[in-house]
Amino acid sequence: MERMTTTATTKYEVVVGLEVHVQIKTQSKMFCGCSSAYFDAEPNSHVCPVCMGMPGMLPVINRRAVEATVLTGLALGCTIPPRSKFDRKNYPYPDLMKGYQISQYDQPLCLGGGLQVEADLGARFIRLERIHLEEDTARLLHREEAHGEGYSLLDVNRSGVPLMEIVSQPDIRSAAEAGVYLRMLRQTLRYIEVSDADMEKGSFRCDANVSLRPVGQEEYGTKVEVKNMNSFRAVQRAIETEIDRQTAILHAGGRIEQETRGYIDATGETASQRSKEQAHDYRYFPEPDLPPIAIAAEHVEALRATLPELPDARRARLEAQYSLAFADAHLLTETRTEAEAFEEAAVLVNVGITDAAAQQARTRAVAHWVIGDVARLRRAEGGGERDWSEIALTPSHIAELVTLTESGTITGTTAKEVLDIVFATGQSPVAIVAERGLGQVRDDAEIDRVASEVIAANPKAVSDYQGGKPSAIQFLVGQVMRQLRGRADANTAAEALRRHLDG
Amino acid sequence: MPLTAEEVRHIARLARLGVTDAEVARLREQLSTILEHFEVLNAIDTEGVPPTTQSFDLANIERDDVSRPSATHADVLANAPRTEGSYIRVRRVLE
Ligand SMILES: [Zn+2]
């Protein structure tokens, strides 16, 4: 191909491929029986001769880790080859206890597949190259002596924790698309319960390969690997920064150097990580201590049968089954526990209801509570989002709340107040309403009495209303509601006021 | 053809071994002899023969995902040249 001359007018296409490392949720490590729950554990307390890399120790494959990787592959539409094996990836680094990492080179557990994403460039399919299984490394902490000399501290607990690497094809075309891809990937991993996929805790880590090429050119440009991003926001920002940096170099007539760059969160910039000039020479070779893995088609199908309904399928079903809007169904299926809570409440709230319109109204009310006030309360306090399993509120509480509102026992305003109390105490809505006397005031004489009090106390609003400003009644309705602590129906209150004023 | 001195130094660096110039000269000869032995194998026609990665006809040797107690802290740190608290202390690592 002819060399392209680049000028400031050349338009570039963004090419991004992502490598995502995901810790698999297991009891024990990949090749030994040490507990893999290293997070928050005392340093070097989950270590044995195998994961410490002592000479002569033999690894044994954790079956669950293999199955979790295959399940992930199936959820992402991968092919599972009948045979797979492990290889040694050699490199000297103090976080690698054996001087090599047991990984997979040319026969990974999963091939192909992909994710359908929708971001700033519309609906697009991002292909996967492969998913392979390996072991995590130990953790290094960098320290400095008082006189300024640096040293490192080593915690071997993480060494040997099962890790799968999900490698995309260079199909991503924008930073926003990378963000959507990562969120969907995390959502899927959580749905199938193979990982916590928590970026902040390090169980979901992403490196990005970023390059640019003139629009219309087939051949890829020189790629730069960007590392050290520890949030979704950071990944998007790092990719944007890298696109800008490369664009500026190319527009100035420069050349992109193939290198690894680290993202610096404080500034949003990337900086070259000048490791030794020598290119990585991993000298992969088959792991002699581990026999290969043969996965029969029946085993693959048995695993496939255990897959839960995946986010997209569930969203589509909720839309159809409960006549929900796309956006609502999308929010309801964000996590599996959220979708399950919604469906459980939707069933409970309609027990004994036969009218289709009434059913639909109740189901929609449940949906609005779940994605509205309940979601707000789950997010409140400390910023983190609490899962349904971590809160006192249950789906049956939601159903009760909707039933109380739909039957007119409480007003919408009261319902919100009750929800707060349920959230704080775990008490049932019915009990709260009874105990605190929050039932709707349906005594017309009572509402009528409050209406006349309000009229007497607000001559200005009354004269506005009578002087031809009908909207002034809203203020008066608000006053009545306030006196009754929101326990009256607003229309009833307005009627009572009009009876006095128009009379 | 013997390995170059640079190739020998590269291999030594990958293995984290320090070598003197005299050793490089000797290793060039020795490593080259070893490689020549393997050249003999290269003469065999292996067309259509799948690569052998295992000498036993085994597959799927796996264990259940059950955790068991790890080594004691004292044992884990026993061979560390230097420790700090519960950590192993090593020379500064540059990335
Ligand atoms: Zn271990």
Side-chain angles (χ1 to χ4, degrees), chain B residues 10-70:
Chain B
H10 176 65
I11 294 164
R13 211 162 26 235
L14 289 173
R16 293 277 148 130
L17 293 172
V19 284
T20 64
D21 288 350
E23 283 168 329
V24 168
R26 198 172 73 235
L27 286 166
R28 277 185 68 188
E29 295 303 323
Q30 291 183 347
L31 289 173
S32 301
T33 312
I34 293 169
L35 287 177
E36 274 160 30
H37 280 300
F38 282 94
E39 284 302 314
V40 175
L41 294 177
N42 264 347
I44 302 164
D45 180 12
T46 55
E47 188 68 32
V49 180
T52 306
T53 60
Q54 288 282 323
S55 47
F56 298 105
D57 192 18
L58 293 172
N60 301 337
I61 307 301
E62 295 171 330
R63 42 172 264 276
D64 290 332
D65 179 29
V66 179
S67 73
R68 47 131 183 89
S70 298

Side-chain angles (χ1 to χ4, degrees), chain A residues 29 32-34 46-48 50-51, chain B residues 68:
Chain A
K29 291 188 181 180
C32 65
C34 290
H46 294 180
V47 182
C48 74
V50 173
C51 55
Chain B
R68 47 131 183 89

